[in-house]
Amino acid sequence: MNKEFFDEEFTDKLKKDGWEKVDAGKRFADYNNYCTIFKKTQSIMHEFNSCIIDSPETPVVSRVSEHPPICDKKSEKGVVDSLIPSTTPLSYKNYFNASFEFLNEMRVISKANIIIRCCCCWISNNNILSYNLSYIIDDFITTILIFPFNDINKFLDFNFIIGIVLDIMNIKRNYSNECFLYSYINKLDVDGTPIVSITNDYSVAINNGLYAFINNKPTSIIFNNSENQKQYLININKTKYTIHDVTILTDMGLKLFSSMTYKSEKHKNFIFNKNLKCREHSLYTCKPIRTLFSSYHKSGKNYFYCCNLSIRDISAFNCFGNDSYLTLGKSIGMKLFDYSKTKFESNFYKNLQSVIEFSPSMYANFVCDYSHAGLLYMSIIYGVNHPIPATLMKGACAVAKNRIMNELSCFSDDYYNFIYCGVSKSRNTTSVKGAYYDTKTTLKSINHDCATLNLLAAKSYRGGFNCCFSVDLHHNYQTFDYDLASAYPTAMCLIPNIDWNNPIAERIINRKLTINDFVVDGKISPIAPIFACVTYKFPADCKFPNLQHHKQDDDEAPCYPLEENTGVYCSGPELYLALQQGAEIHVIDGIVANTLKTNGSVVYPYRNFVKELVSARCNASEVYGKDSLFVKLFKYITNTLYGKISQSVKLNNTKKVGPSDITCATSATMITSFVRSVLFAAFIEIEKAGYTVYSCTTDGLISDISMTEFEKMELFGFKDLLLKSRQIITEEEDPEIWSIKHRQTDLYNINTRANVSLKPEGVIAKQSVSRKYAHLDKEDVINRTAFFESAATRTGCLFSEYNTYTSFDDIKQGKQYFVEKETKYVSLAYDMKRKPVESTLKPCYSTINGVTYEIAHIETTPYKNNNEFLMYRKVRENHKSLRTVSEWKDFFKELNDTPDEVINSETTISDNDLWKMLCLCIAGFKSGKWDIPYLNQEISVAEKIAWIQSKNPSKTHDFTKKTWDRMSEKRYKDTPITKERVSYVLNMLTENESLPK
């Protein structure tokens, strides 16, 4: 907004609502000419519903007053003493009566840290409406609004924004004349020895210095700055000064930090600091960054704040799966106004300029709600002005590591690394090539046996199984969406620690696998710790072969064929289930591992802390309600810790991330194998009982079987293990194993991640297709109906809108932050994870709002081998709908006309691979790796893009201006590319191509 907008009328409107105008201060210039600042301090209790608030049973350590703290501008002590961390985060009713030891251990209460909530409101991609900051002192929360005058200075300086907030907080400043001593030499004694004088006045030293300091030592050499030898006229000695630990709490931190200028050299380098990291559009620091901020309220340019600055992003701590400030605020009981009920309705946030013009008070109250929700949410989890870990799971992972160390009686990190996963950071290690978690970690296996086992385990690692078994309208009968209760935590409690002192019980080489290989302590165990490279063959009538074809880069649509002759890496649970189905399994190379025992009992490293988290969640549900913050928090931590166990286990990991504190290849592999095996066991028994499985996703399935019948199934022995684990976790005699997540009588099963019911309690998954009505929840009946109609009338791909953001590398290069809408095309055609059976093809019909839709019914069966799978996938690329019987018939016609040499070809390239090749070709051209003659001509960028799109081999991606620009980014230009890797597409772009006229 322009300067004239913030007139007396604007000021009076805010003052009536309790806001106070604040002097913007001076430093080289009067900042009141660049912005206007308002602040408001109110009791934290004012923010919460009265039914939740009560006095704390344990008083806080910091000062408690009945009125907001008043900053004495003459005092240099200010309120710094009030920033001692509280013994309880906030004064809320009974919030800490329950014993949450895990959460308390995640908190660091020994050290104060000034937490400043910092965000901004944009009018557009290049215009700031206000910078919004808030902080807590005692039981009061203060909000500061900084409105820049966009007609004078569009963006304000980073140094000013943080410095003025520290001024308003009135914490202790440093005065450079008191912090630094300056040594100078203006005379020599009779022997020619330099006489050093010391002053705290810089100007005295600089004006009286005559002789030079060289290498910090006084000399009798007259100072001459033009000399090649480094000389200094004065020598600066630092004395003790106050350092504050400050954390800036953001959301969309890249947007915030790109909305500021960086005038000082120190702050210009801030964004290039190696400890500042970016994840998508969120920023965080690995370690605090030491930096200085100027004071603007204290006269003179020599007052400053020295800070150890940390950046944290609220999105890394959100356990609700929803970034809305309303979700966070309501989870902690805040009183929040529903701004959608104003004249601006659902477009409120997009029309903030109109809001502030209509009512400055409404705008200011909205900013308070938005800013306070995040700050109070974090304060409840970690405490007021307490240090915050880089992410929620980093803190939880550190606590989990401590629990595992206790279970394993570890006395040091080095011993823990060895006894937990057989690795070491020592350089003097014996290792098989590739026998560690990924290529970027320094953790290496401690010896050859450990290396061999870790390598087999890592190669055996697979993700969850997702598949659509029947494409159809399943109407007029009941279907259920079942979830395996706490699938991964349940599996974690069954996984033993390996005895890394003696990891190999038996080496299996070139022989048949039998059920006797699964005998553990005299009994057959479905979860025997076996890791092996095998070939296999299932019986021809097997409906659910559960061993995957071995291709590490084919996770998008892995094939589970009836036979595999080239070798696939698998682990115990899935091999056990395959034998139960009559599969013939030949082991090329494998290991049966020894489990760690203490006093004859097997050690289960995850069991106690999983039980602790589940117990805390139950307690929180009883005390605060099932939808409360702590219930969601403990559920999120429990379910997500598995991801930390598997972090960087995958050998072809491309992310720049190393192993976590609790990464373990053998555990990660066994956990996922167990969950997949439970699902496959359920498929098999459901079908044998005469029911149907329609779809599955990682830890659940959709079927027409009733819960009563489902619970009777033994699951080939996996049920006993599930019961045992659930009994340990829940301490219940007959715990729940399965739960019903959705139920419906109108299931439209489209694809693996696409199905919909029009019932509010029914399932809906949209395979990344965006909501037609964005202001409504995806589960709203209106959005359900819109998605059904789009899927049921499609003749090709559906478009989906998504946001793209300026990259971190672009921001470093000085480019302006922006958000753009881009469109991608989503094919809902069946993904061919299983073989569609032509003889089952028939039409089905559904009538909605008077319109009848035809949907083809088709059933599936396993592929015989991977070549058959690749052939079906290749033909599918030319059929982007596959909705009606006619479209399916066209598919089968092309399939039947495909020559045998294509069927047996090993050069089948997926659509995604073709798109990646095209992008790499253009990135290589832009970085000078090779020449594409057509693009070298003096033609417009639009013409180049149109030509590239005309050559685009992908059926599902469009080459746009945005794609062209992205290919210049450092991450693409620095990608290792060889001509051989992209030759298929590069030849298309370079051969027989006439140049433009």
Side-chain angles (χ1 to χ4, degrees):
M1 306 295 284
N2 292 339
K3 183 176 182 179
E4 57 268 18
F5 177 80
F6 303 100
D7 53 15
E8 290 186 10
E9 182 183 356
F10 177 89
T11 301
D12 290 340
K13 287 179 179 179
L14 285 187
K15 283 184 176 180
K16 288 179 182 178
D17 203 29
W19 291 87
E20 170 192 352
K21 191 170 183 179
V22 179
D23 177 24
K26 299 178 180 179
R27 194 174 180 92
F28 306 116
D30 187 349
Y31 274 80
N32 292 291
N33 295 325
Y34 300 126
C35 64
T36 187
I37 302 177
F38 291 86
K39 81 164 185 174
K40 184 178 183 179
T41 300
Q42 58 198 88
S43 168
I44 291 175
M45 296 299 186
H46 175 78
E47 292 292 305
F48 289 85
N49 296 313
S50 58
C51 62
I52 291 181
I53 305 166
D54 200 354
S55 298
E57 296 193 4
T58 305
V60 295
V61 172
S62 59
R63 184 187 68 217
V64 177
S65 58
E66 295 180 358
H67 304 285
I70 299 174
C71 297
D72 180 5
K73 294 181 180 179
K74 295 180 181 179
S75 169
E76 285 303 318
K77 292 183 178 180
V79 297
V80 67
D81 293 334
S82 295
L83 293 172
I84 299 171
S86 308
T87 56
T88 58
L90 291 173
S91 305
Y92 304 141
K93 181 180 180 180
N94 297 327
Y95 245 122
F96 294 90
N97 281 359
S99 177
F100 299 143
E101 293 182 10
F102 198 95
L103 180 59
N104 290 336
E105 198 170 329
M106 286 170 58
R107 297 175 178 142
V108 181
I109 61 173
S110 61
K111 191 177 182 183
N113 201 303
I114 302 171
I115 309 295
I116 301 175
R117 175 79 168 97
C118 190
C119 53
C120 58
C121 293
W122 290 63
I123 298 175
S124 62
N125 274 339
N126 58 4
N127 213 341
I128 291 292
L129 190 57
S130 68
Y131 298 94
N132 319 312
L133 304 102
S134 55
Y135 57 86
I136 296 173
I137 299 177
D138 296 330
D139 286 342
F140 296 91
I141 188 167
T142 298
T143 304
I144 299 169
L145 301 184
I146 305 176
F147 297 98
F149 301 150
N150 293 328
D151 52 337
I152 299 173
N153 189 20
K154 186 165 58 177
F155 293 159
L156 294 178
D157 187 48
F158 176 52
N159 185 33
F160 167 73
I161 291 172
I162 305 302
I164 195 67
V165 173
L166 298 176
D167 277 337
I168 294 171
M169 294 179 75
N170 204 19
I171 65 173
K172 184 172 178 58
R173 305 170 180 85
N174 294 292
Y175 183 45
S176 59
N177 286 0
E178 297 174 353
C179 294
F180 302 106
L181 296 177
Y182 305 99
S183 303
Y184 65 96
I185 309 164
N186 65 351
K187 59 182 178 180
L188 308 174
D189 65 11
V190 294
D191 298 325
T193 302
I195 299 174
V196 178
S197 301
I198 298 176
T199 180
N200 60 8
D201 191 329
Y202 176 82
S203 59
V204 170
I206 208 74
N207 291 327
N208 290 284
L210 178 61
Y211 299 96
F213 288 88
I214 299 176
N215 297 326
N216 296 324
K217 295 181 179 180
T219 70
S220 57
I221 300 172
I222 296 177
F223 176 74
N224 183 353
N225 200 31
S226 64
E227 293 285 339
N228 291 330
Q229 192 175 23
K230 246 184 177 178
Q231 298 184 14
Y232 296 94
L233 184 61
I234 60 175
N235 199 35
I236 304 174
N237 300 301
K238 295 180 181 179
T239 61
K240 186 177 181 180
Y241 51 88
T242 301
I243 302 173
H244 299 287
D245 293 313
V246 176
T247 297
I248 295 177
L249 186 61
T250 76
D251 51 349
M252 294 189 72
L254 198 58
K255 177 179 180 179
L256 171 69
F257 283 91
S258 64
S259 72
M260 307 176 189
T261 58
Y262 300 87
K263 294 180 180 177
S264 73
E265 288 299 321
K266 192 171 188 66
H267 293 140
K268 282 180 183 177
N269 294 328
F270 174 79
I271 206 158
F272 294 95
N273 192 291
K274 65 180 181 180
N275 288 316
L276 183 63
K277 305 294 182 181
C278 182
R279 185 181 62 180
E280 295 180 352
H281 51 265
S282 302
L283 292 180
Y284 65 96
T285 50
C286 300
K287 296 179 181 179
I289 299 173
R290 177 70 60 85
T291 189
L292 304 179
F293 294 102
S294 303
S295 171
Y296 293 81
H297 276 178
K298 189 70 176 177
S299 61
K301 66 179 182 179
N302 294 329
Y303 288 89
F304 66 94
Y305 303 96
C306 183
C307 299
N308 290 326
L309 187 67
S310 298
I311 311 296
R312 296 291 181 262
D313 195 285
I314 291 176
S315 65
F317 301 86
N318 190 337
C319 54
F320 289 88
N322 186 333
D323 290 334
S324 169
Y325 79 96
L326 289 170
T327 303
L328 299 185
K330 288 178 180 178
S331 75
I332 58 176
M334 283 182 66
K335 293 184 293 187
L336 295 171
F337 180 74
D338 186 357
Y339 293 93
S340 66
K341 294 181 179 179
T342 66
K343 61 176 285 188
F344 303 97
E345 298 180 336
S346 61
N347 292 320
F348 185 89
Y349 191 74
K350 297 179 180 179
N351 291 287
L352 289 179
Q353 181 171 358
S354 299
V355 172
I356 197 172
E357 291 172 351
F358 173 73
S359 172
S361 293
M362 181 186 291
Y363 174 85
N365 288 332
F366 165 75
V367 169
C368 281
D369 283 355
Y370 185 93
S371 183
H372 293 182
L375 179 59
L376 294 173
Y377 172 85
M378 295 296 291
S379 296
I380 288 176
I381 297 176
Y382 290 103
V384 174
N385 295 320
H386 287 183
I388 301 172
T391 66
L392 174 63
M393 289 314 300
K394 187 173 181 63
C397 190
V399 179
K401 176 187 173 182
N402 290 336
R403 296 291 194 272
I404 296 171
M405 290 182 74
N406 290 335
E407 290 293 322
L408 302 178
S409 301
C410 296
F411 50 83
S412 69
D413 281 349
D414 288 342
Y415 185 64
Y416 164 79
N417 286 330
F418 167 63
I419 205 70
Y420 173 60
C421 48
V423 299
S424 171
K425 290 184 178 180
S426 170
R427 295 179 182 178
N428 300 319
T429 56
T430 302
S431 178
V432 174
K433 184 178 180 181
Y436 44 88
Y437 299 122
D438 68 15
T439 57
K440 301 174 182 66
T441 178
T442 58
L443 292 175
K444 302 291 180 70
S445 296
I446 202 75
N447 56 42
H448 190 274
D449 284 354
C450 294
T452 305
L453 177 55
N454 267 326
L455 180 59
L456 280 173
K459 286 191 172 185
S460 301
Y461 177 78
R462 301 283 185 279
F465 178 69
N466 305 276
C467 191
C468 174
F469 297 104
S470 173
V471 180
D472 198 355
L473 284 167
H474 302 286
H475 282 205
N476 303 320
Y477 55 92
Q478 188 80 58
T479 56
F480 305 91
D481 182 11
Y482 290 101
D483 259 7
L484 183 59
S486 300
Y488 285 114
T490 299
M492 287 165 62
C493 290
L494 295 169
I495 305 305
N497 208 85
I498 301 299
D499 183 358
W500 293 100
N501 280 300
N502 181 26
I504 300 178
E506 181 185 355
R507 192 74 183 266
I508 307 175
I509 298 176
N510 196 28
R511 72 165 171 83
K512 183 179 179 181
L513 189 71
T514 70
I515 200 68
N516 292 330
D517 292 310
F518 291 82
V519 175
V520 177
D521 294 334
K523 296 181 180 179
I524 293 176
S525 171
I527 53 172
I530 298 175
F531 308 90
C533 178
V534 304
T535 59
Y536 60 82
K537 185 175 183 179
F538 284 87
D541 61 349
C542 178
K543 289 189 175 182
F544 301 102
N546 66 302
L547 299 182
Q548 184 177 321
H549 166 73
H550 179 58
K551 186 181 179 187
Q552 290 185 4
D553 58 352
D554 195 21
D555 286 340
E556 291 182 3
C559 174
Y560 285 75
L562 288 169
E563 60 183 51
E564 170 60 54
N565 298 317
T566 60
V568 56
Y569 290 88
C570 303
S571 58
E574 56 199 339
L575 291 170
Y576 166 84
L577 185 61
L579 288 175
Q580 295 295 321
Q581 293 198 78
E584 295 179 5
I585 302 175
H586 180 81
V587 179
I588 299 171
D589 187 12
I591 286 176
V592 180
N594 280 317
T595 56
L596 182 65
K597 294 182 179 180
T598 301
N599 298 326
S601 299
V602 176
V603 177
Y604 297 93
Y606 313 115
R607 189 168 284 184
N608 283 336
F609 77 72
V610 169
K611 180 180 177 181
E612 179 185 352
L613 285 166
V614 172
S615 176
R617 177 182 166 189
C618 292
N619 291 340
S621 181
E622 292 175 3
V623 177
Y624 313 115
K626 64 179 182 179
D627 293 324
S628 65
L629 165 62
F630 289 135
V631 172
K632 299 293 185 182
L633 182 68
F634 290 127
K635 179 181 179 181
Y636 180 83
I637 292 173
T638 306
N639 290 333
T640 311
L641 275 173
Y642 155 71
K644 307 305 286 185
I645 295 173
S646 62
Q647 183 171 304
S648 291
V649 164
K650 204 170 182 179
L651 290 179
N652 64 335
N653 173 44
T654 57
K655 296 181 179 179
K656 295 181 179 179
V657 60
S660 75
D661 286 342
I662 60 173
T663 293
C664 180
T666 53
S667 294
T669 300
M670 290 289 288
I671 290 167
T672 54
S673 179
F674 176 83
V675 174
R676 288 195 308 273
S677 299
V678 169
L679 284 181
F680 273 97
F683 306 156
I684 297 162
E685 294 203 7
I686 288 172
E687 289 283 336
K688 283 183 178 179
Y691 297 95
T692 304
V693 181
Y694 302 105
S695 180
C696 77
T697 51
T698 305
D699 60 353
L701 58 92
I702 298 177
S703 175
D704 55 354
I705 191 171
S706 68
M707 178 65 88
T708 303
E709 292 297 314
F710 198 6
E711 289 179 331
K712 293 178 182 178
M713 297 180 173
E714 295 301 321
L715 306 177
F716 297 92
F718 287 108
K719 180 181 178 180
D720 290 340
L721 293 170
L722 289 169
L723 273 173
K724 177 183 177 182
S725 180
R726 296 292 296 158
Q727 286 169 348
I728 292 170
I729 293 173
T730 63
E731 297 183 337
E732 296 177 8
E733 195 170 318
D734 188 21
E736 176 186 78
I737 294 178
W738 299 94
S739 62
I740 297 177
K741 189 176 181 181
H742 301 100
R743 61 183 76 212
Q744 54 277 316
T745 55
D746 60 342
L747 174 67
Y748 178 17
N749 213 34
I750 309 167
N751 207 337
T752 296
R753 297 185 184 275
N755 42 41
V756 60
S757 160
L758 300 186
K759 300 290 190 292
E761 68 276 11
V763 69
I764 179 168
K766 303 195 288 100
Q767 196 176 309
S768 77
V769 175
S770 57
R771 287 172 286 176
K772 184 173 182 179
Y773 303 98
H775 63 287
L776 298 175
D777 189 84
K778 79 168 185 177
E779 301 208 0
D780 191 281
V781 172
I782 295 175
N783 270 327
R784 287 173 179 268
T785 303
F787 177 64
F788 181 99
E789 291 174 341
S790 297
T793 58
R794 71 185 190 275
T795 56
C797 295
L798 299 183
F799 78 89
S800 180
E801 281 191 340
Y802 64 101
N803 289 333
T804 61
Y805 306 90
T806 309
S807 70
F808 191 35
D809 288 338
D810 283 346
I811 296 297
K812 288 181 177 181
Q813 294 171 15
K815 294 184 180 180
Q816 181 57 53
Y817 180 88
F818 63 84
V819 181
E820 286 186 351
K821 288 284 186 183
E822 283 207 3
T823 299
K824 65 178 178 180
Y825 294 90
V826 180
S827 173
L828 293 184
Y830 182 61
D831 53 23
M832 302 294 159
K833 286 189 176 181
R834 283 169 59 91
K835 178 181 175 180
V837 181
E838 186 174 9
S839 62
T840 65
L841 182 63
K842 64 181 180 180
C844 297
Y845 300 93
S846 178
T847 301
I848 298 177
N849 297 329
V851 180
T852 299
Y853 304 95
E854 178 196 340
I855 305 294
H857 163 92
I858 195 162
E859 297 172 12
T860 66
T861 192
Y863 291 103
K864 180 180 179 182
N865 53 42
N866 192 57
N867 282 342
E868 189 178 42
F869 163 69
L870 293 176
M871 176 188 68
Y872 274 69
R873 288 276 293 188
K874 182 173 180 60
V875 174
R876 181 253 191 191
E877 290 177 4
N878 299 321
H879 301 267
K880 299 305 178 187
S881 176
L882 292 182
R883 173 179 62 85
T884 65
V885 169
S886 175
E887 289 171 337
W888 271 104
K889 285 183 176 179
D890 289 342
F891 167 82
F892 284 114
K893 183 179 184 305
E894 182 179 344
L895 186 71
N896 294 331
D897 292 341
T898 302
D900 290 342
E901 58 267 22
V902 175
I903 296 175
N904 297 319
S905 170
E906 296 183 359
T907 60
T908 305
I909 304 174
S910 71
D911 187 83
N912 278 337
D913 286 339
L914 290 170
W915 171 249
K916 290 175 185 176
M917 284 187 192
L918 177 66
C919 291
L920 289 174
C921 284
I922 303 305
F925 163 75
K926 284 192 158 192
S927 60
K929 289 184 173 68
W930 45 68
D931 184 36
I932 300 177
Y934 193 98
L935 300 180
N936 271 332
Q937 308 309 302
E938 294 183 2
I939 56 177
S940 68
V941 171
E943 290 175 300
K944 293 179 179 180
I945 292 168
W947 178 79
I948 296 171
Q949 177 60 18
S950 72
K951 298 292 183 182
N952 184 2
S954 169
K955 306 295 184 183
T956 59
H957 299 78
D958 289 331
F959 197 94
T960 64
K961 173 66 163 58
K962 179 67 178 174
T963 317
W964 171 267
D965 292 340
R966 194 176 294 148
M967 293 307 103
S968 298
E969 293 178 2
K970 187 175 185 295
R971 58 183 170 136
Y972 286 101
K973 294 172 75 172
D974 290 351
T975 301
I977 314 171
T978 62
K979 278 192 175 183
E980 290 74 17
R981 182 179 176 187
V982 296
S983 60
Y984 183 83
V985 174
L986 188 59
N987 290 338
M988 294 168 53
L989 298 175
T990 56
E991 289 184 359
N992 302 320
E993 183 55 51
S994 60
L995 299 180
K997 296 179 181 178

